[in-house]
Amino acid sequence: MKNMSLNEVREAYLKFFESKGHLRLPSFSLVPKNDKSLLLINAGMAPLKPYFTGVQTPPRNRVTTCQKCIRTGDIENVGKTSRHGTFFEMMGNFSFGDYFKGEVIPWAWEFVTSVLQIPKEKLYVTIYLDDDEAYEIWTKSTDIDSTRIFRLGKEDNFWEIGQGPCGPCSEIHFDRGEGKVTTVEEFLKESDNDRIVEFWNLVFTQFDKDEFGKYNKLANPNIDTGMGLERMATIMQGKNSIFEVDTIRAILDTVGEYANVSYGKNELIDISLRVITDHIRSVTFMISDGILPSNEGRGYVLRRLLRRAARHGRILGIKNNFLYKICNVVIKNSCDAYPELKEKEGYIKKVIKLEEERFAETIDGGIEILNEYINKLEKEDKKILPGEKAFKLYDTYGFPIELTQEILEEKSMDVDIEGFNNEMENQRQRARAARGESNYMGAEDTILNKLPNEILTEFVGYDSIECNTKITLVANNKEILESLNEGEEGVIIFEKTPFYAEMGGQIGDTGVIISEQVKATVVDCKKNIAGKILHFVKVTEGKLLKGEFVTLRVDETRRNNISKNHTATHILHAALRGVLGQHIQQAGSFVDAEKLRFDFNHFQGLTEEELYKVEKIVNTEIMKVYNTKTELMSIEEAKNGGATALFDDKYEKEVRVVSVGEFSKELCGGTHVKNSGEIGLFKIVSESGVAAGVRRIEAVTGFGAIAYMETKENILKNISDVLKCGEKDIINKVNSQIVEMKIKEKEINELKSKLANGCEDDLLNNAKEINGVKLVTGVLNDIDGNSLRELADKIRNKISEGLVVLGSNNEGKVQFVAMASKDAVLKGVHCGKIIKEVATIAGGGGGGRPDMAQAGGKLPEKLEEAISKVESIMVTLVK
């Protein structure tokens, strides 16, 4: 058996299946495309589901990949065992209606025994209980000992996920021990003991399970195999743990160096080392695919992994941020297979470091809240923190349950872990309910996603906005039709079209369909999952018939405005990289006829100066009246030529590269102006944050920019009219009025203070005595908070032993203040409790210390009633 590194195993696998006529595809992004059933890609076949279902045509009927995957279903076990991990790579070879069992079984045996040179006496094979065909191929087309083949039931050797493609499977296993296993019972026992390890699953997708649970035979059965790269590497390197494999052990040892600890000497230390090692692999790959920390979806998964790793760093005694440095090892060991890691190295580090810093703040805030819980438990002489409070710390503040338990343990306390787990399960159920039931692709399975593959449309819209063409398909959401009548709405596909279908952030075209017999409006244009161009139409006159010839005409003005905005986003992208740095990457965009929106990765808001520079650069480049050039080239030529793109997307062999002079060069399938000068004017309308590390610029161009500037100009004119000055003097006039207002405010406050002081004697004359404690209450009008506090303080000083509670209605806002002397507090007075009850009556809330408290309210009409309650409240406190 060869001793192979993890990277060597991957390459050997992919090269072997290339030799068998397979197309090697790079790993797809961890972010699923057009698949609502998944949050993250969790298997090698997941990104290929459209090929298996037939909604998309594969680039070749034989494909091989090594797919990066994330699974977090058992995250709590990661670190506690030597085999659990959230990130892994899945190698696979796939047949889309091409070869089947007769080919894949001998190939699998050849790769394992000839390429990897694993001894045959170390291998076992399992097949589905009733799969005689697989048994015959194994025994006749390979030289495996038939006594090493075991038949297992549906739970072990039949692959299915709800409705859709499914079928029996055959697994190949490696025996770590000595001696031969001879019975199914013994095989299952040794598998449970981890002596026998499954490493390759060959799925024979030959059925389609319908909504009634019936297994219908597929006309063209498929092959879907999966081999875990890390698990295979452990076998090839003679290791017992994925964490001991060369590339992963390099990460683990680096973590150990930072923590000044060694692996294998202390189980608790080993757990933390394994958690950090696994999680930093996951977060590095997730960020490289554009995922950012957030409080929902896949962003929440990323945040949870990052914070769990940071928490275990603290357990190991690492006080400073360190994860952003550890990711260097991940990138170094994996960048040959995943070049995007190296390309985005600086960006990945920035995201990790920022999240580490935020977590440090979270830890401090969480400890403060936990201390409040602990103080309450101590006062109530309790030892168990309720599960819902622990869950709130975890869910709202990102505070790990392990840390909560550790801090409580120091106080001889514990967590109601059952209650915590119940809250966790309730959250999972809410999430499942929100997702709802999903089918194989997790998307609505309408007829529009099941159109025949042979129906194709030629797009001619780059060069023309009008064409004559034939109607090839008429449909609605439920069925394929022969026609659409006057007043009806539906979907039309044509042999060719000038209508741009929504894609790459550019909105779809609108326009008309005309002939001598019919008039219809195209209200939108989109693509289905398979990329077919769908025209959403409404018939206004006559009838649209399948097979008829019609004229299509795009709304020219709208298209031109969209093109101006789209070309402007390219110039904006280049300008941002020039002003902010080359780490700027597009995180999304939207372009319609009125405006453009551009999202990009950056970690802080742009200053006014930066926005000014960006806007000036864009307008300067527009005024250089560059010709816009479009070229078709290979993806490699585009990259080498300096074109920017979302390179985690999958592109055709030939791509469109759009250049605006020498300033901007991007891969793009959208429509553009022929010359930058057509854009006219560019104006930034807003800059804001839309997610952690993602900023958004909204802007307008052309006549939209002119209209925006005209609106601004009208506002200035109106302001100058109101201020009765010229536009140039507006600032001076406003500043002088601000000074005048401050002087008048000061005079008003002084008058209010005098007014409040004038009430002092009246309030003191109406003082009462409750159980030996003086009580002064009063309701005032138009007294602000500061004056109210000053008055209460003066009265408290004059009554050596007593309580003052005052309320004020100031411009419709209710304010309360309560102050008590030290002697009154010793007799039971508590201003915080009193003010809380009083404010509740007036529709507010508040609190404070025993000697001083303040609150607000929303119901001025309840002010008198609220203050009148002070006496009865005080009776209950002062004994």
Side-chain angles (χ1 to χ4, degrees), residues 238-495:
K239 305 295 184 182
N240 293 318
S241 163
I242 61 171
F243 294 96
E244 295 174 11
V245 170
D246 59 331
T247 57
I248 304 174
R249 183 58 189 259
I251 304 167
L252 188 145
D253 287 341
T254 305
V255 178
E257 289 173 13
Y258 272 90
N260 197 26
V261 297
S262 298
Y263 186 65
K265 294 182 178 180
N266 180 295
E267 181 57 23
L268 290 178
I269 288 174
D270 289 352
I271 288 172
S272 293
L273 288 171
R274 289 193 289 261
V275 168
I276 297 168
T277 297
D278 169 78
H279 289 5
I280 194 61
R281 293 181 79 212
S282 295
V283 302
T284 300
F285 277 90
M286 290 172 77
I287 295 168
S288 78
D289 281 342
I291 302 170
L292 289 164
S294 70
N295 288 328
E296 59 185 14
R298 59 185 67 95
Y300 181 72
V301 174
L302 173 60
R303 172 162 284 167
R304 187 181 177 194
L305 291 170
L306 254 170
R307 293 189 168 188
R308 194 166 187 259
R311 158 69 185 140
H312 279 272
R314 288 186 171 227
I315 290 174
L316 292 176
I318 304 174
K319 296 180 180 178
N320 299 321
N321 297 331
F322 72 104
L323 293 173
Y324 75 99
K325 299 174 184 175
I326 302 293
C327 75
N328 284 336
V329 190
V330 182
I331 294 168
K332 179 182 177 182
N333 284 308
S334 300
C335 63
D336 287 344
Y338 303 100
E340 64 270 19
L341 293 174
K342 194 66 180 173
E343 293 167 7
K344 300 178 181 180
E345 183 175 2
Y347 170 67
I348 294 168
K349 288 181 180 179
K350 282 188 177 181
V351 174
I352 295 175
K353 187 178 181 185
L354 184 65
E355 187 62 18
E356 283 190 275
E357 291 169 352
R358 284 181 175 160
F359 181 59
E361 296 170 5
T362 297
I363 284 286
D364 296 336
I367 287 175
E368 188 176 332
I369 293 165
L370 180 55
N371 284 336
E372 290 178 11
Y373 292 160
I374 290 171
N375 290 335
K376 187 175 181 183
L377 288 173
E378 288 175 339
K379 286 180 181 178
E380 297 173 354
D381 198 24
K382 294 179 180 178
K383 296 289 185 182
I384 304 296
L385 181 71
E388 63 268 19
K389 290 189 181 297
F391 180 75
K392 184 178 181 181
L393 274 170
Y394 168 82
D395 190 51
T396 306
Y397 302 101
F399 204 70
I401 184 64
E402 301 94 337
L403 184 55
T404 300
Q405 289 174 308
E406 182 182 315
I407 294 171
L408 286 169
E409 190 178 334
E410 293 170 359
K411 302 284 185 179
S412 299
M413 295 177 175
D414 204 350
V415 177
D416 172 17
I417 200 68
E418 185 177 341
F420 175 83
N421 290 334
N422 287 338
E423 293 291 332
M424 286 285 286
E425 183 56 32
N426 290 338
Q427 186 190 61
R428 291 189 189 104
Q429 288 178 3
R430 287 193 296 270
R432 280 194 287 269
R435 285 197 298 269
E437 294 297 321
S438 65
N439 60 13
Y440 185 68
M441 288 300 292
E444 189 181 358
D445 212 9
T446 70
I447 191 68
L448 299 179
N449 282 326
K450 293 183 176 180
L451 301 176
N453 283 334
E454 60 270 16
I455 295 180
L456 301 173
T457 302
E458 178 190 0
F459 177 63
V460 297
Y462 291 129
D463 304 311
S464 175
I465 59 166
E466 182 177 327
C467 75
N468 297 315
T469 186
K470 180 182 177 183
I471 298 173
T472 56
L473 184 137
V474 181
N476 57 26
N477 275 330
K478 296 179 180 178
E479 58 184 334
I480 294 177
L481 309 168
E482 286 299 313
S483 64
L484 280 178
N485 298 318
E486 187 173 320
E488 291 182 336
E489 298 179 8
V491 173
I492 307 291
I493 295 181
F494 303 96
E495 280 188 347

Side-chain angles (χ1 to χ4, degrees), residues 538 542 600 643:
K538 182 173 183 179
F600 56 98

Side-chain angles (χ1 to χ4, degrees), residues 44 52 63 73 178 224 258 260 272 279 293 317 366 404 414 463 478 483 507 541 566 580 597 656 755 773 879:
F52 284 115
V63 164
E178 299 297 329
D224 160 22
Y258 272 90
N260 197 26
S272 293
H279 289 5
T404 300
D414 204 350
D463 304 311
K478 296 179 180 178
S483 64
I507 198 169
E541 290 182 26
H566 199 158
L580 303 179
R597 188 178 73 211
R656 295 181 82 244
L755 181 64
V773 177
K879 304 298 183 185

Side-chain angles (χ1 to χ4, degrees), residues 36-186:
K36 296 179 182 178
S37 70
L38 295 175
L39 194 62
L40 292 157
I41 293 298
N42 62 0
M45 57 74 62
L48 306 173
K49 285 197 280 187
Y51 303 149
F52 284 115
T53 57
V55 299
Q56 287 184 16
T57 303
R60 194 182 295 176
N61 287 336
R62 297 181 181 187
V63 164
T64 184
T65 65
C66 184
Q67 175 64 43
K68 48 196 173 184
C69 303
I70 296 279
R71 289 182 189 172
T72 57
D74 53 3
I75 187 175
E76 285 80 11
N77 289 323
V78 173
K80 295 177 182 177
T81 73
S82 62
R83 58 188 178 87
H84 282 92
T86 57
F87 176 83
F88 62 97
E89 297 178 58
M90 183 67 77
M91 300 182 292
N93 56 286
F94 309 93
S95 166
F96 309 109
D98 186 1
Y99 62 82
F100 202 49
K101 298 177 190 178
E103 291 82 8
V104 74
I105 289 173
W107 286 343
W109 190 248
E110 179 188 351
F111 179 71
V112 171
T113 59
S114 299
V115 178
L116 301 183
Q117 297 178 12
I118 299 177
K120 295 167 189 175
E121 62 272 17
K122 285 286 187 182
L123 298 170
Y124 295 96
V125 165
T126 59
I127 60 172
Y128 181 52
L129 201 61
D130 303 328
D131 197 349
D132 294 332
E133 181 186 9
Y135 181 82
E136 184 174 351
I137 295 168
W138 272 113
T139 53
K140 291 186 177 179
S141 299
T142 77
D143 60 355
I144 190 174
D145 179 348
S146 62
T147 62
R148 290 180 169 273
I149 303 174
F150 297 104
R151 293 176 183 259
L152 300 180
K154 196 170 184 180
E155 184 178 334
D156 294 294
N157 279 86
F158 195 95
W159 185 90
E160 62 182 341
I161 302 179
Q163 296 179 36
C166 57
C169 60
S170 180
E171 296 177 328
I172 307 176
H173 306 254
F174 178 79
D175 190 352
R176 298 176 187 269
E178 299 297 329
K180 184 179 178 183
V181 171
T182 57
T183 66
V184 169
E185 292 75 18
E186 190 181 359

Side-chain angles (χ1 to χ4, degrees), residues 629 631 633-645 647 655 657-659 661-667:
K629 182 172 65 175
E631 301 172 278
M633 60 183 72
S634 70
I635 187 71
E636 289 76 19
E637 289 174 324
K639 282 185 177 182
N640 294 335
T644 59
F647 284 117
V655 295
V657 177
V658 177
S659 301
E662 298 297 322
F663 186 72
S664 165
K665 194 173 194 179
E666 287 193 33
L667 268 68

